[in-house]
Amino acid sequence: DFFITDCFIIALIFLAGVYIFSVDNGLNRLIKTTLRGRKTTALSKLTAYGILTFAISIVFVLLNIFVSSAVYGVDDFGAKVQSIPQFRNCTLGLNIGEYYAVFMLSKAVAYLSFTFLFTLVFACFTSPIFRYSLCVGITATEYLLYSIIPNNSVINHIKYINIFSFTDTQSLLSQY
């Protein structure tokens, strides 16, 4: 279970966004007046934020994979993923190494969705306290909707079209 790592990565992504979008050393007003200054600066910040998110997610997911492989004794990465009891119902024809690659990329894409959500909030609102509280509120609401709504509910589409359901890549990839 990667829940603690997921929460830690989301917190790091949020703090990176706070740093990237809140640093103002007095040059922002000058940059905004130049030709392409505002667009280029926004694109640079978004690119840096995306690359940082991708790097953070890959490092922490790789760390989890190495620890779980050492603890559970996965040494044959060429074996089919269905050889692991938790994945016997997996319909993907992947070996364990390929599954780890798909798992890492799926996690990175899920965390990039948090990055884009936080970027949207940081770009639309100017008050720092409102930005931070809105990001925390949206994240908490998403998690509550994901954890409270039962699987067989009438509104289960809210549970599965949710950022936290995308971070749960094991159930996304291992269940039919």
Side-chain angles (χ1 to χ4, degrees):
D1 192 15
F2 295 104
F3 179 72
I4 294 172
T5 307
D6 288 340
C7 291
F8 188 70
I9 291 172
I10 292 166
L12 280 177
I13 291 169
F14 173 71
L15 291 175
V18 167
Y19 179 74
I20 289 172
F21 290 98
S22 297
V23 172
D24 182 14
N25 53 5
L27 293 176
N28 281 346
R29 280 179 265 150
L30 181 63
I31 290 172
K32 288 178 184 177
T33 62
T34 62
L35 180 75
R36 294 181 308 194
R38 192 175 226 164
K39 250 193 289 189
T40 307
T41 304
L43 187 61
S44 299
K45 285 182 178 185
L46 184 60
T47 303
Y49 197 24
I51 290 171
L52 186 63
T53 299
F54 190 78
I56 287 171
S57 65
I58 294 297
V59 165
F60 280 99
V61 171
L62 270 175
L63 183 66
N64 274 345
I65 288 172
F66 287 143
V67 169
S68 64
S69 294
V71 169
Y72 298 116
V74 177
D75 55 353
D76 183 19
F77 292 107
K80 288 292 183 184
V81 75
Q82 288 83 5
S83 65
I84 301 172
Q86 292 86 0
F87 295 94
R88 68 176 180 267
N89 294 332
C90 181
T91 58
L92 300 174
L94 301 173
N95 61 31
I96 295 173
E98 293 169 342
Y99 172 79
Y100 281 152
V102 170
F103 181 80
M104 280 190 307
L105 287 175
S106 299
K107 283 280 194 183
V109 168
Y111 295 133
L112 281 172
S113 65
F114 274 102
T115 299
F116 295 135
L117 174 70
F118 292 154
T119 301
L120 180 67
V121 170
F122 290 144
C124 291
F125 301 103
T126 57
S127 171
I129 300 297
F130 187 72
R131 284 178 176 179
Y132 308 151
S133 59
L134 188 61
C135 285
V136 170
I138 289 172
T139 304
T141 303
E142 289 274 327
Y143 179 70
L144 284 174
L145 290 173
Y146 175 69
S147 62
I148 291 175
I149 298 173
N151 292 341
N152 56 358
S153 173
V154 175
I155 56 171
N156 69 351
H157 59 281
I158 296 173
K159 178 182 177 112
Y160 293 112
I161 302 175
N162 188 322
I163 293 176
F164 278 97
S165 69
F166 295 128
T167 61
D168 188 15
T169 54
Q170 180 185 359
S171 64
L172 186 69
L173 297 174
S174 67
Q175 296 175 0
Y176 176 66

